[in-house]
Amino acid sequence: MNDDVPSQPPFNVTTPTPARIYDYYLGGKDNFPADREAGEKVMRVFPQAPELALANRGFLLRAVRYCADAGIDQFIDLGTGIPTSPNVAEIACAFNPRARVIGVDNDPVVLSHQRAHASSVSGGYTIVEGDVRRPWAILADSRLNEVIDLSRPVAVLCVAVLHFVPDAEDPAGILGAFTDTITAGSYLAVSAVTSTDTDPAVVTQIEDAYKNASAPLIFRTADQILSWFGPSLDLVHPGLLDVSQWPTGIGIPTDVRILGGVARKRRRVHPPGA
């Protein structure tokens, strides 16, 4: 993992960003012509892109419900994106009014909208600026540590984020930084787009649509995504599968797939005599 990564480029409406393209897929209004152009380019080869974005959003909310139902009342939402409703804080606080959520992002438009959203929420939600490629800086952030007690179980949400992180920036190492820090009984939720069982020609065309964005879109195999869940994590049932099918068949599978899974950090078992 390399913490020496370039900072987020200055705000530029002519450069599409993943968060604003995603907002366009979800029917939002916080996007610009460059974002819509990139989104339309994807939809010309993959018309189901909005359905897949909604399915991924649904996975995120179901993962939050799962963790909250398991007793988690602290959430770190990496790459939180432009606010939508329902959102992580709404779901978490519906289970436990004392739940605390930290949103992390480095997109200027996201930060602006999320700060306005945070000011309108009655406690429970804080947004901090951070780059997922610098996990240790996020974990050391004073505002995060004012809200999140890392000595207690926490859910780390990394949903539709790592497919914008090249291999050279070590996605597994990014997740490892978080899973090494969080305590036993914590959870990690991950989703990412996969090339497994996807037409290679479609993969190439979608990657091309994102080539001028602030971050590239990178398809990975199911085995590569599965490998991100390190040895201290146990995938909960039903494992890693299409986001529309987690934990049961919620929606209709699409031609391009995003895989999602939730894992629990196990307690360290010391060998006899240790």
Side-chain angles (χ1 to χ4, degrees), residues 109-239:
V109 171
V110 169
L111 291 169
S112 174
H113 284 280
Q114 287 285 4
R115 285 167 181 151
H117 172 65
S119 67
S120 68
V121 176
S122 178
Y125 182 66
T126 303
I127 180 72
V128 299
E129 183 174 1
D131 190 324
V132 71
R133 298 170 299 172
R134 298 183 177 93
W136 296 114
I138 294 172
L139 288 162
D141 188 284
S142 59
R143 292 188 66 200
L144 181 145
N145 285 280
E146 288 171 1
V147 175
I148 302 295
D149 179 358
L150 291 170
S151 70
R152 297 176 51 242
V154 60
V156 176
L157 313 170
C158 192
V159 173
V161 174
L162 293 182
H163 50 222
F164 298 113
V165 176
D167 289 343
E169 292 170 355
D170 194 8
I174 290 169
L175 291 181
F178 287 98
T179 55
D180 287 348
T181 301
I182 58 179
T183 191
S186 295
Y187 287 85
L188 173 70
V190 175
S191 74
V193 69
T194 183
S195 58
T196 298
D197 297 329
T198 302
D199 183 344
V202 173
V203 169
T204 298
Q205 291 177 79
I206 293 176
E207 288 180 333
D208 181 69
Y210 277 84
K211 70 179 181 181
N212 294 320
S214 60
L217 177 66
I218 302 164
F219 284 74
R220 294 184 170 95
T221 68
D223 285 343
Q224 287 175 308
I225 296 169
L226 185 61
S227 73
W228 293 344
F229 294 91
S232 66
L233 297 171
D234 294 317
L235 274 167
V236 304
H237 182 79

Side-chain angles (χ1 to χ4, degrees), residues 3-53:
D3 277 347
D4 185 20
V5 294
S7 59
Q8 179 72 4
F11 174 63
N12 182 350
V13 299
T14 65
T15 299
T17 71
R20 299 197 308 258
I21 297 171
Y22 191 66
D23 178 71
Y24 177 60
Y25 292 151
L26 293 174
K29 299 179 180 179
D30 299 310
N31 48 74
F32 298 96
D35 308 302
R36 296 191 284 274
E37 181 180 349
E40 290 291 340
K41 189 172 182 179
V42 171
M43 287 190 283
R44 283 196 288 272
V45 296
F46 175 49
Q48 298 170 304
E51 287 85 350
L52 184 58

